Amino acid sequence: MPDDGPKWFTGGGWGALMETRSNNVLVGGIVLVLLGIIVAFAIWMAGSNGANEKKYDILFKTSVDGLAKGSQVTFSGVPVGKVEDIVVMPDQPELIRVRVSVKKDTPVLQGTTASIAGVGFTGVSQINLDGAVTGAPPIDQPGPFGLPLIPAKAGGLGAILNNAPALLDRLTTLTERLTDLLNPRNQKSISNILAHLDTISGALASRSGDIAATIADAHAAIQQAGDAAQKIGALADSTNQNVKPLLTNLNEAVDSAKHSMKNLDEAIDDAKPGLKAVSTQTVPAINQLVRDLADTAASLRALSGKLDNSGAGGLIGGPKLPDYKPRK
């Protein structure tokens, strides 16, 4: 019976198969070696780049529209790094954490701030770092997420877009108020005010000559007032010169009066003991003398009365009794 099986299992076919497999293994091995070399080079490059870079966190309260991983980071317009990660904070959804890596020699110092700016009209955004001050310490203190934190500020087109809703609301409110202000009634009032102003300005223009004359008179009056003030000042100076001698004499009189009062006070102080003796000794004696004089005067009046009534005999004996004659 003829053999209809495959012929490549013969000695020549098996050798070709083994050769093909050997070539495939060799090629696969070479490919794996190349892949290993590429991976090792990538790891080495990543480690090398990591050693030459610093990472920072930035917290934005505004929209980061146009920003993505790999977006450029510039320092005063010079490219220094890229964006590595953008995360919405779960517990604070109003905050966006952006992690950036910059060159190690980039002067990220105290005072440096980060802002988002658009790149042309492409819709792509980048992060700008600026505001560093010479001599300031670097930003190297770990923040709440383990990396130093660069303060964020709103600026450029991003700030305008973020504030656009509030600006539109204010513009709408302003337009409505202007519309209310310029209603037909107010327009009529404004027209009347303008007409009155026109009338007043015309009247003032027609009296411009009188106004000019009045201003000239006022100027002359002011000048005369200035002359009068100058004369009053001169008069005051002369009056002060005349008054000074009078004031000197008055001061001398006052000093003399003070000296006289002092002498009077001393005389009163010297007279006080005598006055005290008069009040304690002389006055009671005078009172007794007055009483004695009063008694003497009373006695003299009684004596005078006796002399008037009885004559001198009244002073010697008593009054003569009348003779008694019995009744018949």
Side-chain angles (χ1 to χ4, degrees), residues 274-295:
L275 293 175
K276 185 174 181 181
V278 169
S279 61
T280 56
Q281 300 176 7
T282 305
V283 171
I286 291 174
N287 292 333
Q288 183 63 40
L289 177 61
V290 170
R291 285 195 295 271
D292 293 340
L293 289 176
D295 294 338

Side-chain angles (χ1 to χ4, degrees), residues 34-304:
L34 292 175
L35 288 175
I37 293 173
I38 293 172
V39 170
F41 179 76
I43 294 174
W44 177 79
M45 288 295 294
S48 177
N49 291 336
N52 295 326
E53 292 180 348
K54 287 184 178 181
K55 294 183 179 181
Y56 298 90
D57 284 332
I58 307 170
L59 294 178
F60 288 102
K61 291 184 179 181
T62 59
S63 173
V64 294
D65 189 24
L67 204 64
K69 291 183 179 180
S71 295
Q72 194 174 47
V73 178
T74 65
F75 187 93
S76 297
V78 179
V80 294
K82 63 181 179 178
V83 175
E84 288 197 350
D85 193 16
I86 302 175
V87 178
V88 178
M89 304 303 297
D91 53 344
Q92 293 178 301
E94 70 275 7
L95 296 178
I96 308 296
R97 179 177 63 83
V98 178
R99 179 161 293 179
V100 299
S101 60
V102 299
K103 294 180 182 179
K104 189 174 182 180
D105 57 351
T106 303
V108 182
L109 308 177
Q110 296 290 339
T112 302
T113 57
S115 60
I116 299 175
V119 181
F121 297 96
T122 60
V124 179
S125 299
Q126 66 182 18
I127 293 180
N128 291 337
L129 303 178
D130 56 11
V133 180
T134 303
I139 299 177
D140 54 4
Q141 296 298 323
F145 308 104
L147 293 177
L149 190 65
I150 300 176
K153 72 172 183 178
L157 183 61
I160 296 176
L161 294 177
N162 289 329
N163 294 327
L167 291 175
L168 291 175
D169 291 339
R170 293 180 181 178
L171 287 175
T172 302
T173 303
L174 179 60
T175 303
E176 292 176 353
R177 291 181 178 178
L178 286 175
T179 303
D180 293 338
L181 179 62
L182 298 177
N183 57 35
R185 184 179 62 185
N186 290 339
Q187 289 180 5
K188 184 177 179 181
S189 299
I190 294 172
S191 299
N192 293 333
I193 292 171
L194 293 176
H196 294 161
L197 288 176
D198 187 31
T199 302
I200 293 171
S201 62
L204 290 175
S206 63
R207 300 296 299 275
S208 59
D210 297 338
I211 294 173
T214 302
I215 293 174
D217 294 340
H219 180 71
I222 292 172
Q223 186 174 2
Q224 293 174 1
D227 296 339
Q230 186 176 2
K231 292 179 180 178
I232 290 172
L235 179 61
D237 293 337
S238 63
T239 302
N240 289 333
Q241 294 177 358
N242 295 328
V243 168
K244 285 181 180 179
L246 296 177
L247 292 177
T248 302
N249 295 333
L250 180 61
N251 291 330
E252 293 177 354
V254 171
D255 293 337
S256 177
K258 288 182 179 179
H259 184 68
S260 300
M261 290 297 295
K262 183 178 180 181
N263 294 334
L264 181 60
D265 291 337
E266 292 176 355
I268 292 173
D269 292 336
D270 294 338
K272 281 182 179 179
L275 293 175
K276 185 174 181 181
V278 169
S279 61
T280 56
Q281 300 176 7
T282 305
V283 171
I286 291 174
N287 292 333
Q288 183 63 40
L289 177 61
V290 170
R291 285 195 295 271
D292 293 340
L293 289 176
D295 294 338
T296 302
S299 299
L300 290 175
R301 282 197 298 271
L303 181 60
S304 176

